[in-house]
Amino acid sequence: MKYSLFFVFLYFLSCSTPQARRPINPKPSATIFQENIAATKKIFELEEAEILKYIENDSLNVYEISPNGFWYTYVHRIQEDLITPKPGDIVELTYDIRDLSDRILYSKETLGIKNYLVDKEDFISGIQKGIKLMKVGETIIFVIPSYNAFGISGDGNKIGINKTIKSKVTLLNIK
């Protein structure tokens, strides 16, 4: 009889409603997400301030801002009404990659002539969008913030995390 009372007691104890445990991390994921957004906005603001300072100090060139989030200036502009690349075209171009101190990270000789299928191939986002502004024979310098270049990871080699790049692009041909 002693054992049966013991088992009845265990049965009632095991059938009681479980108690909810407190979360290990008391911050809800929405709070962490909001904090990440705020930190990212701060990084973008600092990067944009750096770009605007660079543009202000470059008194030799007049920069235009693209609605796609980069700045550009023409080195050689063609005034004639010629065609510009459209999605699906194959373009031939040369480009280099520099930092805002004008230090060459990748020279156009190292990178060689690039054949690029417009909007159908993975390439530096800012240059992808910028190429569509160009006519054959034009040269443009693009100032591209990290989110339109190599992002938060960099390229794993010469371009660091969240780094703005400059690229001097010459459109050689549209096929």
Side-chain angles (χ1 to χ4, degrees):
M1 171 113 178
K2 277 201 278 188
Y3 291 117
S4 61
L5 283 175
F6 178 71
F7 286 119
V8 169
F9 177 72
L10 276 178
Y11 174 75
F12 282 113
L13 189 64
S14 66
C15 291
S16 66
T17 57
Q19 294 291 329
R21 297 185 314 177
R22 297 190 135 285
I24 295 171
N25 182 356
K27 283 188 174 183
S29 61
T31 303
I32 294 170
F33 185 67
Q34 293 300 326
E35 288 173 359
N36 284 341
I37 289 173
T40 301
K41 283 182 180 179
K42 185 68 176 166
I43 290 169
F44 288 165
E45 288 170 5
L46 292 171
E47 196 171 354
E48 185 170 344
E50 181 184 30
I51 291 169
L52 293 174
K53 183 179 178 184
Y54 168 79
I55 289 171
E56 182 181 310
N57 291 336
D58 186 4
S59 59
L60 298 177
N61 294 303
V62 176
Y63 287 84
E64 297 177 46
I65 185 165
S66 161
N68 294 308
F70 58 87
W71 290 257
Y72 62 98
T73 185
Y74 285 88
V75 174
H76 176 70
R77 187 174 198 165
I78 297 176
Q79 298 298 333
E80 296 175 46
D81 190 24
L82 300 174
I83 63 167
T84 57
K86 58 186 179 309
D89 286 345
I90 297 174
V91 295
E92 217 172 62
L93 59 103
T94 60
Y95 68 106
D96 64 8
I97 298 176
R98 300 167 183 253
D99 61 17
L100 287 184
S101 301
D102 221 23
R103 185 174 54 113
I104 296 174
L105 303 174
Y106 297 99
S107 69
K108 71 179 186 178
E109 290 78 23
T110 303
L111 296 170
I113 293 175
K114 168 90 173 155
N115 287 304
Y116 166 66
L117 183 59
V118 178
D119 286 351
K120 307 289 183 190
E121 213 177 297
D122 190 27
F123 193 39
I124 301 167
S125 178
I127 296 176
Q128 282 181 313
K129 296 168 188 167
I131 286 171
K132 292 184 259 180
L133 301 171
M134 300 180 76
K135 301 170 190 166
V136 172
E138 287 186 327
T139 301
I140 295 179
I141 294 175
F142 295 101
V143 179
I144 307 168
S146 65
Y147 60 86
N148 264 333
F150 291 91
I152 60 170
S153 62
D155 75 339
N157 192 10
K158 296 180 181 180
I159 301 169
I161 60 172
N162 292 320
K163 290 298 178 189
T164 298
I165 62 168
K166 277 178 42 178
S167 184
K168 187 176 186 178
V169 179
T170 302
L171 185 60
L172 303 173
N173 197 7
I174 301 173
K175 299 177 186 176

